[in-house]
Amino acid sequence: MTGIITEQATAAASGAAATEQFRSKQRAEAADVDTKRVDNLVTELLTAAHDIIRRHKLTYAEYDALKAWLIQVGEDGEWPLFLDVWLEHVVEEVANENRQGSKGTIEGPYYVPDSPRLPSEATLPMQESEAGTPLLFQGQVRSVDGTPLSGAKVELWHADNDGYYSQFAPDLPEWNLRGTIIADDQGNFRIHTIEPAPYQIPTDGSCGKLIAAAGWHAWRPAHLHLKVSAPGHQLITTQLYFKGGEHVTDDIASAVKPELILDPTPVAGGNGREVTYDFVLDRA
Ligand code: MBD
Ligand code: FE
């Protein structure tokens, strides 16, 4: 099932939607981790925490603040947000370190599977009044040996001009700015959408509280999310950013890589900007 549509623009509402979305994924149930490995991983994690407590002489007041905050993260449903912002980038790095093809990056908390299927040239579902600079995003999906991948699938999802994701913010059509584009027989796709705005993670919940308490900022640069796949090939989960955009150099989620930065150009005699980006997939 798809995520619940939130009625309120609060951290707890988008957190509840993200938690439900995560629970509906197969991967959430798939964990079958070897006992020895659980022992090693958790022991090392706890030992690192013990060491930090000793070195910084953690007080009971701080211990209680931590306990209260951890309880709040759960109540807000913000574990998906917390984990994807501050840990996932290293999980992704390790998972894909041997990949030959295009770079990937984190999925984040706002992916919804089974978005509407669209032909190789298509406009993402959007509102008639959708604000934002029109963007033509086009390219080709190939295998590592250069073979065009006929019928490749390009799943694209992104925030709107106000930084909101459909199904995780109120008052947006269910599939707004989400689609599954089926590339043509040469692996080509041409997708019409709008440029997303930078994204500020919710400031009114527990993650926002941590950010304020630590004096950090809450921003991710404007980004497109993608999952690109083709038969016999490894799926790539990635994001693309915009050259010169705000927070490209200080993403709170540490998910920017130099290979993932687009440099769109104005459409000649037209409206908006366009950019070409090709994807190279490893064999499965
Ligand atoms: C996002 O849009 C996102 O992509 C990540 C990784 C975390 C929070 C919000
Ligand atoms: Fe995002």
Side-chain angles (χ1 to χ4, degrees):
M1 64 172 297
T2 60
I4 56 172
I5 298 189
T6 61
E7 281 158 20
Q8 290 177 294
T10 61
S14 77
T19 297
E20 182 173 327
Q21 183 54 53
F22 178 71
R23 283 197 175 128
S24 74
K25 281 199 293 204
Q26 173 60 29
R27 210 174 67 187
E29 267 74 57
D32 183 13
V33 185
D34 175 66
T35 305
K36 190 71 206 141
R37 196 162 160 83
V38 175
D39 178 16
N40 288 156
L41 290 169
V42 179
T43 300
E44 271 198 45
L45 184 66
L46 291 173
T47 302
H50 301 161
D51 183 51
I52 292 166
I53 293 166
R54 288 197 184 96
R55 279 193 294 114
H56 293 272
K57 298 196 187 300
L58 191 89
T59 66
Y60 258 103
E62 288 166 339
Y63 178 63
D64 285 351
L66 172 66
K67 217 186 233 184
W69 182 78
L70 288 169
I71 291 167
Q72 193 66 47
V73 177
E75 285 179 353
D76 290 344
E78 282 202 329
W79 281 116
L81 181 65
F82 175 82
L83 291 165
D84 294 352
V85 166
W86 284 296
L87 284 188
E88 192 191 351
H89 69 99
V90 189
V91 179
E92 191 281 329
E93 174 190 313
V94 169
N96 299 321
E97 63 189 354
N98 296 322
R99 188 180 275 166
Q100 307 288 300
S102 301
K103 287 277 182 236
T105 190
I106 65 175
E107 175 175 318
Y110 301 144
Y111 170 65
V112 183
D114 305 318
S115 62
R117 283 169 84 92
L118 301 167
S120 63
E121 174 154 16
T123 301
L124 277 196
M126 66 175 77
Q127 307 187 79
E128 221 167 283
S129 58
E130 198 70 51
T133 306
L135 177 68
L136 169 57
F137 176 71
Q138 60 186 345
Q140 187 185 39
V141 185
R142 296 187 295 270
S143 185
V144 274
D145 67 1
T147 314
L149 292 174
S150 169
K153 225 168 72 172
V154 179
E155 289 179 85
L156 174 61
W157 72 102
H158 64 82
D160 66 15
N161 192 55
D162 296 319
Y164 290 115
Y165 285 88
S166 58
Q167 303 189 37
F168 300 90
D171 304 327
L172 293 172
E174 187 176 19
W175 295 105
N176 211 52
L177 303 174
R178 296 176 183 272
T180 300
I181 293 84
I182 309 300
D184 69 14
D185 59 4
Q186 288 301 305
N188 292 309
F189 59 88
R190 274 169 73 84
I191 308 170
H192 301 268
T193 185
I194 53 110
E195 292 188 26
Y199 176 85
Q200 187 180 31
I201 74 164
T203 52
D204 62 313
S206 44
C207 290
K209 206 165 175 178
L210 169 63
I211 287 165
W216 301 339
H217 73 75
W219 291 92
R220 299 213 61 224
H223 55 281
L224 304 175
H225 287 273
L226 296 124
K227 282 184 185 280
V228 181
S229 57
H233 289 76
Q234 293 177 31
L235 177 148
I236 292 182
T237 300
T238 193
Q239 295 182 31
L240 297 170
Y241 307 92
F242 297 88
K243 189 177 175 182
E246 279 177 71
H247 299 295
V248 166
T249 55
D250 64 349
D251 176 14
I252 193 183
S254 311
V256 179
K257 301 178 185 182
E259 299 86 348
L260 304 179
I261 299 178
L262 302 173
D263 189 8
T265 54
V267 174
N271 199 5
R273 304 206 294 168
E274 65 184 318
V275 67
T276 300
Y277 191 89
D278 297 339
F279 296 96
V280 177
L281 305 190
D282 286 51
R283 299 199 149 275

